[in-house]
Amino acid sequence: MQDIIAGVRNLTHEFQLNKKLKIRAIDGLSLDIRRGEILGVVGESGSGKSTLARCMMNIYRPTEGEVFFKNIKCSDRAEYKKHAFELQTKRQIIFQDSASSLNPRMRVIDIIAEPFRINHIVPIRGSIENEARFQLKYTGLDEELLYKYPGELSGGQRQRVAIARALAMEPELLVADEPISAVDVSIQAQLVNLFKHLRNEHGFSIMFIAHDLAMVEFLCDRVAIMYRGRLVELAETKELFANPLHPYTKLLLSCIPIPDPRAERERKHPDFDETEFDTSGCLTEISEGHLLLCGGEKSNNKKGSLAIG
């Protein structure tokens, strides 16, 4: 059995809109992340991917269920407080919108140095400036950007500064919430290769949230498919793309464009009626390592609950 570094157990998270109305974003989800793997999390907007990422990083407090990192139950306040230093340094998150995740009034050097100051850590490379220069170079940026502000950088440069800040702590778990969606194609390729390097050379575990299925197929070891706050299918990447079983997974994969315009026009998409999705099913291992939400289609005329991400 492979070493599990982090995950969630029976996780449920609800947003209270007013006194009477709640919206369930995550519905009884269980998921493991193995040490040294890149786990892709895929689903349409509103499926709960970002909510899952924030629950795993203790940004949101789960309504029910557990979040764990190694042997620490970090959804428990007492456990989190006891292991706060390790949880704040060995887990890092990269947000989708770098414009809002970077303080516009801080220079790049101060942004990268902030985790060291908060956690009272002396940089490995001796000084804040040396550390910041190294991290910028490592993420493909020129050191001349050290004293610039986020507003003076392009979208791709800002995202790489956010990645540099996360990598400075040398985390064991990196949660990347659609880190390549706001940058152009050439920068996307550089960032994806960087994530692959981090896993291969440093043994990082990465939860990679994305919409781009081609990138997920290239980068990830396993893929988890989410729909309406539920995990509907989980398998090794090659197995999932070669043998999708859930109707929603088939629909997602059928949306990958075909380079031939004529073939693209003539292709038929699988049937999937979202009004008939039922959340009463449970994950079942269909074959080794391939999990499927059985009962995810209409089985008892029960409609799924509303979910947001």
Side-chain angles (χ1 to χ4, degrees):
M1 187 174 179
Q2 290 179 277
D3 189 14
I4 303 299
I5 189 170
V8 297
R9 290 283 181 272
N10 300 314
L11 181 70
T12 296
H13 185 75
E14 296 177 337
F15 291 100
Q16 185 83 43
L17 300 186
N18 54 45
K19 291 183 179 180
K20 296 182 179 180
L21 182 60
K22 294 180 180 179
I23 294 181
R24 180 163 290 189
I26 303 289
D27 186 8
L29 189 146
S30 295
L31 183 67
D32 291 332
I33 301 175
R34 299 168 181 166
R35 189 177 295 276
E37 81 163 346
I38 302 178
L39 173 69
V41 180
V42 178
E44 63 189 30
S45 296
S47 59
K49 306 184 302 298
S50 294
T51 303
L52 172 62
R54 284 162 172 75
C55 285
M56 289 196 66
M57 295 299 295
N58 294 104
I59 298 172
Y60 293 161
R61 183 173 176 80
T63 306
E64 296 177 14
E66 299 179 358
V67 179
F68 65 90
F69 175 71
K70 296 197 284 192
N71 294 321
I72 304 168
K73 184 181 175 183
C74 42
S75 52
D76 180 85
R77 289 182 178 179
E79 280 284 294
Y80 184 92
K81 188 175 181 179
K82 182 180 178 181
H83 300 278
F85 179 80
E86 181 176 7
L87 294 174
Q88 291 171 6
T89 56
K90 296 305 179 183
R91 305 180 305 163
Q92 295 293 320
I93 184 170
I94 302 166
F95 295 99
Q96 177 180 1
D97 184 8
S98 58
S100 61
S101 65
L102 301 181
N103 189 331
R105 297 185 180 183
M106 292 176 68
R107 299 171 301 175
V108 169
I109 186 172
D110 299 317
I111 289 171
I112 296 176
E114 189 175 24
F116 294 99
R117 294 194 175 110
I118 290 173
N119 294 289
H120 308 288
I121 298 174
V122 177
I124 296 173
R125 288 156 191 92
S127 70
I128 293 294
E129 185 171 352
N130 288 341
E131 186 69 35
R133 289 180 188 276
F134 174 84
Q135 297 299 341
L136 284 187
K137 184 177 180 181
Y138 193 73
T139 53
L141 293 173
D142 294 328
E143 60 181 46
E144 65 184 23
L145 301 179
L146 268 180
Y147 296 96
K148 291 187 178 294
Y149 291 89
E152 301 177 87
L153 308 180
S154 68
Q157 288 172 329
R158 284 197 302 268
Q159 191 63 287
R160 280 186 280 182
V161 169
I163 294 173
R165 177 178 60 184
L167 299 185
M169 289 288 97
E170 298 191 353
E172 295 180 45
L173 173 65
L174 187 63
V175 176
D177 187 5
E178 300 193 40
I180 62 174
S181 63
V183 299
D184 60 48
V185 175
S186 61
I187 303 301
Q188 284 183 5
Q190 294 175 24
L191 294 181
V192 165
N193 286 327
L194 173 60
F195 286 127
K196 206 155 195 173
H197 171 78
L198 291 171
R199 192 275 307 274
N200 294 339
E201 298 297 323
H202 302 283
F204 283 21
S205 299
I206 303 173
M207 187 171 84
F208 184 79
I209 298 172
H211 280 108
D212 191 331
L213 292 169
M215 287 293 185
V216 169
E217 184 178 15
F218 171 76
L219 178 65
C220 299
D221 303 300
R222 291 190 300 153
V223 181
I225 305 294
M226 287 187 64
Y227 182 69
R228 291 194 179 184
R230 298 294 307 275
L231 186 62
V232 299
E233 192 163 358
L234 173 66
E236 302 289 333
T237 303
K238 289 183 179 180
E239 167 67 14
L240 187 86
F241 277 78
N243 184 34
L245 299 177
H246 196 276
Y248 180 68
T249 307
K250 294 177 182 178
L251 181 64
L252 275 184
L253 297 184
S254 73
C255 294
I256 300 175
I258 297 176
D260 184 348
R262 180 176 295 177
E264 179 66 30
R265 285 194 301 268
E266 294 176 352
R267 74 191 299 190
K268 294 182 179 180
H269 295 284
D271 291 329
F272 178 70
D273 187 349
E274 61 180 15
T275 64
E276 297 186 344
F277 180 77
D278 177 39
T279 60
S280 64
C282 60
L283 278 178
T284 304
E285 189 168 35
I286 303 301
S287 58
E288 185 177 358
H290 195 151
L291 304 178
L292 179 70
L293 181 67
C294 295
E297 297 174 89
K298 187 175 181 180
S299 58
N300 55 4
N301 297 317
K302 175 184 174 183
K303 292 186 178 180
S305 59
L306 179 64
I308 65 173

